[in-house]
Structure formats: C-alpha cells, structure tokens
Amino acid sequence: MSSTNQQRRDFLKQSSLAASAAFSPYFFSNPQTLADETRSPNDRFRIGVIGSGGMAGGNMNAAKDWLDVVAIADVDEGRRESFSNRFSGGKADTYNDYRKVIERDDVDVIHVATPDHWHTKTLVESMLAGKDVYCEKPMTLTIDEGKLIRRVQKETGRIVQVGTQQRSTFNLFVKAMAIVQEGRLGRINKLEVSIGGAPASPALPVAEVPQGLDWERWLGPAPMVDYRFLQPEATGKKRKPRAHTNAHYEFRWWYEYSGGKLTDWGAHHVDIAMWALRLNGQKDGPVSIGGTAKHPVEFKDGYAVQNDRYNTASEFRFSVKFPGDTEMVIKHSDNGILIEGDKGRIFVNRGKLTGAPVEALDSNPLADDAIQKVYKDLPMENNERKGHWANFLNCVKTRQEPISDVHSHMEMLNVCHLAGISARFGRELTWDAKAEQIIGDEQANAFLGRPYRKGYEIEV
Ligand SMILES: NC(=O)c1ccc[n+]([C@@H]2O[C@H](COP(=O)([O-])OP(=O)(O)OC[C@H]3O[C@@H](n4cnc5c(N)ncnc54)[C@H](O)[C@@H]3O)[C@@H](O)[C@H]2O)c1
C-alpha cells in the first residue's frame, strides 16, 4: 500500500468524519499535502514558540508531523527547558526574551501561546519582522488592539491564523455551518451561546516568586503587582490539578490578563454564533449589549475594588441585539450554541450536533461541496486542532488567508470584549459597529483600549 493510502486509512480510522458520507468526496480527493510535502527535513517548517505552556504543548503535538521546534521563549526557565526536551529533544534554543525568537532568520513561522495580555505585542512585532503567525485565541485583550493588528496585518501581508480550532472541526461546527448556509434553518433570529461560568477564589496571599520565573516580564504590559499563590489544600477544597494564582493558567480569571470566560470560551462559541449569522446574510455588527453579571469582587468605575482574588465575571447573561430583530444571548450555564431560525433549530458543541435539521440529513444530505464552500475553498486536511494547523501551514505556502482570519476573529471578539465592558460597568452599551465606538458613554469607551506599562508599549 502506498504511504498516501496508508495516511488516508489512518485518517479515516482516527476521524469521526469517516462516519459521515455527506462530505467525504472532497476529503478523499484532497490528499494530505503537508504530510506528503514535508517529509524531507528541508521541507519541514521551522517554528519559534513564544509561551511554552499548556496550550503550546497541545499545539505542537497536533502539528509535529510537519514542523520542527527550533527556538522557544518563555519567561519561566523550567517551562522553556522542559518544552525543549519534550518537543526538540533539547536541541531548540531557549530564551527568556521572545524578541530573540522573532529576530532569527531561520525561523519560518511563530506560534504565540502566551497569556492574552501579551498576544498583541508579540503578534504585531512578529508580523513586522516578516513572520507568519499562529496566535492563540483570544487574539487581543482590547478592541483597540484588534484595530492595530488588523492594520499591521494588512500592511505587512503576513499570514495569521487565530487558534479557534472549532472552525476546522468539520464533523460538528463546520457541518452545522453548512446546514445554516444551505438555508435549512431559514432566517436566524435567536442564538443562545452557553460558555460556562468562571471560578471565584479566596484571598490569595502574596508569595515568593518561584525560582526561574521572571515575574516582571510575565506581567509585561500589565500593571506591576505582587505574585500571588495559594496551595490547593489551603482552600480546604480539592482543587486539582491547579493551585490558585495570578500567573500560569489561572491568569484567565483576572481582567488584567484576560477577559475571563467571556473571552476564554466566548472566543470559541461566540465565534460559531457569529459565523452562523454571517452565513445567514447578517452583514451588520451588534447595536447594543446588556444584561447581568456577577463578579467575585465588587467593582467601582470598571475596576475591581480588591486586588487579591479572581475578578472576572463568574455568572452572567447578556443580550446582544443585531439589526433586524436578531438576538444573541451569552450565558454562563451549560456549554454549546443553540441556533434558531424560522424553519428549525440546531444545537452544537464539542460533543454533539443535534436537532431536526440534522436528522433530516439522512434523507436529504448536504451538497457534496457544502463543507468546502463554508470553509471558503481553503486547504482542508484532518480535523479539529490538527486540521486547523494544517490549514495554517498550507496557507503559509499558498499565501491565502486562513480560516480563522484576523478580520472575522476581531469582529466576533468585539462582542466578547463589549460583554466584558458591560459587565464591569453593570450597564447596557450602545455600539456603533462601523465606527467601532460605544455611543454616549465616554467612561465605557475608554475601556476600548488599555494603558501599557512603561517599557512595554507597542511601537509600530
Ligand atoms: N485554542 C484553545 O482551545 C485554547 C485552549 C487553552 C488555551 N488557549 C490559549 O492559549 C494561551 C495560553 O494558555 P495556557 O493555558 O497555555 O497558559 P499557560 O499559563 O499554561 O502558558 C502560558 C505561558 O506563556 C509564558 N509567558 C508569559 N509571558 C511570556 C512572555 N513575555 N514571553 C514568553 N513567554 C511568556 C508563561 O510563562 C507560560 O509558560 C491563552 O491565550 C489561552 O487563551 C487556547
């Protein structure tokens, strides 16, 4: 058996796509070009990784068939060294300063997988240095950062894929989009986006910075604060495997470094909801966003009053209104996206795609090219995270815009960021999507951007 056939068989075995004949013809006529072309060492991509934590590990596992990790930057020495051992057999060069990775001529592509407050600076500097980038979601911490990235990406012509891999999950989310695109739900008027709540924490004591962690650089553009850490057993609750902290992984629950669940999972599920709206002909952005949000701490003028514990919204329900009487609800309970039109409704999450229009596919399947069309005729290989990387690397070769492009990511991330601003002020916001401004609320409008700590400004 030829190796291409073997790869195809392996792919079929692994992928639940094999179960769906509806969109098999395209896949089977589309050989795994990356796997074929990157077999020789010279054909493999050389990647520089910025931020070698949990997600970078998952990503390098997904893409390891096609690339070699040659340079790693992390402000935590232990993390960058163990990442190098794990993904390059200790051969990759390791740095505390990410700029050393960006400036290397032998690095073809960059992977940004830092906490969110570092994404914009590292992504913009990578593009300016002529690098193509796979940047983890959420791409930015603020709406203004999206505007900057959009401009720099246009000026430099670099290829940027955002790590919203649900856009390459063909058997669930893309199939759901194909159902929408074929008009089987009719006109969409209601979307319910469930993204789960965020944890609260007890007060976290100031702790000694662990050896090897450059805390000042970890904070980077964010305000200078103490490192905090609480052993899981100190809470009296089993909280495995993670301790409470304001650093690794748990940065998600601090507005200084992230947007909480609203951007952590919002970047995935609001993304799918917005994709559905666009495929359904909704060209405009939202006009208002408001609702209720509960924070683990009190807020005053948009800022948490206490600085010693998690502060992002733990429970929430927002109503996002679009022109034409379309409503998107974003809520903390459950996980998945309900898409409702005047002809039917479907529900999709990472485990299932259900609803009468899905059952109807048995007798009335999707068109052969339905998935391909939703995927904008872009290179398709594999599924989920591996498929998302394949799309990026193929686009680096073809110079096409990948499936999770800067522009559409930013449009949907604006919704998540606006929900965060609305939560912090506890009031409804009116949004001018064309001008990308909040109307009639200067205090909230000031939160479209953020100040950068001295020495960590973004220079373009
Ligand atoms: N696509 C997905 O499904 C998915 C899943 C999980 C996480 N993510 C995203 O990946 C990113 C990282 O999340 P994580 O869970 O891996 O976090 P993490 O804390 O495990 O890893 C982040 C790493 O970045 C390092 N870092 C911080 N500042 C740095 C700097 N200036 N230069 C170099 N390294 C720096 C940290 O020391 C840490 O090792 C986040 O933006 C998150 O939203 C995406």
Side-chain angles (χ1 to χ4, degrees):
M1 187 187 302
S2 76
S3 69
T4 308
N5 277 343
Q6 183 59 51
Q7 282 156 6
R8 210 172 72 176
R9 280 175 63 123
D10 291 347
F11 171 54
L12 281 174
K13 243 193 285 167
Q14 289 161 10
S15 169
S16 52
L17 282 170
S20 172
F23 41 91
S24 54
Y26 180 74
F27 270 89
F28 302 156
S29 64
N30 187 28
Q32 297 189 356
T33 52
L34 283 174
D36 289 344
E37 289 176 20
T38 54
R39 209 173 298 135
S40 113
N42 287 341
D43 288 332
R44 292 171 66 80
F45 293 87
R46 286 156 306 185
I47 194 162
V49 175
I50 303 178
S52 58
M55 193 61 255
N59 278 324
M60 289 308 95
N61 263 330
K64 62 177 182 254
D65 290 350
W66 310 309
L67 44 77
D68 295 315
V69 179
V70 297
I72 301 160
D74 199 297
V75 294
D76 186 325
E77 187 184 3
R79 283 187 160 215
R80 61 180 182 255
E81 295 309 327
S82 78
F83 199 89
S84 170
N85 290 334
R86 199 166 145 214
F87 291 103
S88 73
K91 283 195 234 138
D93 293 314
T94 56
Y95 308 96
N96 192 50
D97 186 343
Y98 68 91
R99 290 172 294 191
K100 297 270 191 287
V101 171
I102 292 175
E103 72 194 19
R104 278 175 65 143
D105 290 337
D106 65 341
V107 165
D108 304 317
V109 290
I110 298 273
H111 176 35
V112 169
T114 61
D116 312 352
H117 67 289
W118 265 107
H119 286 179
T120 300
K121 189 165 167 61
T122 50
L123 171 56
V124 163
E125 288 175 14
S126 298
M127 287 192 283
L128 290 173
K131 307 293 190 202
D132 299 324
V133 185
Y134 184 112
C135 177
E136 261 313 332
K137 50 51 60 177
M139 185 174 74
T140 67
L141 200 62
T142 69
I143 288 176
D144 282 352
E145 289 182 345
K147 296 176 195 166
L148 176 68
I149 291 169
R150 189 175 56 194
R151 175 160 71 79
V152 174
Q153 195 256 343
K154 197 168 169 218
E155 282 167 10
T156 59
R158 299 326 301 178
I159 303 299
V160 179
Q161 173 88 301
V162 186
T164 45
Q165 71 277 2
Q166 290 184 171
R167 287 201 197 182
S168 299
T169 304
F170 298 103
N171 52 333
L172 292 165
F173 299 100
V174 187
K175 189 172 172 183
M177 294 305 102
I179 291 170
V180 169
Q181 165 134 310
E182 287 199 352
R184 292 173 184 233
L185 306 189
R187 186 188 169 277
I188 295 173
N189 41 44
K190 177 112 198 236
L191 302 112
E192 215 171 78
V193 185
S194 306
I195 55 179
S201 75
L204 310 185
V206 173
E208 201 177 320
V209 176
Q211 209 186 351
L213 174 61
D214 184 342
W215 180 236
E216 192 276 326
R217 277 193 75 76
W218 188 97
L219 289 168
M224 189 69 209
V225 296
D226 291 319
Y227 174 77
R228 293 179 182 273
F229 186 87
L230 186 67
Q231 289 291 356
E233 54 269 28
T235 65
K237 291 184 192 157
K238 285 208 171 80
R239 190 172 196 273
K240 285 182 179 168
R242 297 186 181 96
H244 289 293
T245 177
N246 54 351
H248 296 327
Y249 185 88
E250 304 287 309
F251 66 83
R252 285 162 170 74
W253 318 128
W254 304 78
Y255 279 125
E256 292 83 342
Y257 322 119
S258 173
K261 261 285 159 64
L262 287 170
T263 56
D264 191 36
W265 268 86
H268 286 305
H269 282 358
V270 173
D271 188 43
I272 298 301
M274 282 293 286
W275 198 3
L277 278 181
R278 294 293 183 242
L279 290 172
N280 201 239
Q282 174 62 262
K283 300 270 177 270
D284 299 316
V287 291
S288 71
I289 180 159
T292 53
K294 190 173 145 197
H295 288 101
V297 291
E298 235 180 87
F299 269 68
K300 189 168 184 301
D301 297 331
Y303 290 101
V305 169
Q306 285 153 290
N307 67 355
D308 61 353
R309 65 198 71 199
Y310 299 167
N311 58 30
T312 60
S314 48
E315 293 178 16
F316 43 83
R317 187 185 173 91
F318 292 101
S319 168
V320 189
K321 299 267 173 55
F322 290 81
D325 219 16
T326 301
E327 184 188 26
M328 181 191 296
V329 169
I330 306 174
K331 62 187 182 69
H332 72 267
S333 52
D334 306 323
N335 184 290
I337 308 118
L338 183 72
I339 309 170
E340 195 171 317
D342 52 19
K343 284 198 206 155
R345 59 186 199 164
I346 54 174
F347 176 84
V348 63
N349 66 17
R350 291 187 183 179
K352 64 182 179 194
L353 169 61
T354 56
V358 182
E359 285 154 30
L361 295 179
D362 287 345
S363 55
N364 182 15
L366 291 167
D368 279 355
D369 64 350
I371 295 285
Q372 187 185 345
K373 256 165 110 181
V374 167
Y375 209 62
K376 300 197 275 187
D377 279 328
L378 288 167
M380 298 162 75
E381 288 184 46
N382 280 283
N383 196 24
E384 298 178 336
R385 198 182 303 289
K386 192 165 182 182
H388 210 53
W389 272 89
N391 175 255
F392 168 60
L393 295 172
N394 270 315
C395 286
V396 167
K397 289 182 172 190
T398 62
R399 307 313 290 171
Q400 287 164 285
E401 192 147 67
I403 191 64
S404 289
D405 62 289
V406 160
H407 192 82
S408 62
H409 181 79
M410 183 190 162
E411 267 184 357
M412 79 84 203
L413 196 57
N414 282 355
V415 174
C416 305
H417 285 321
L418 286 170
I421 299 171
S422 169
R424 292 171 73 161
F425 286 104
R427 58 181 180 249
E428 187 176 64
L429 307 175
T430 309
W431 178 242
D432 180 339
K434 286 218 166 60
E436 292 172 315
Q437 293 287 307
I438 297 166
I439 301 169
D441 190 335
E442 277 319 301
Q443 199 185 24
N445 226 15
F447 276 53
L448 297 185
R450 61 168 167 148
Y452 296 97
R453 192 154 60 91
K454 199 163 173 341
Y456 291 96
E457 301 88 352
I458 305 176
E459 279 160 29
V460 279

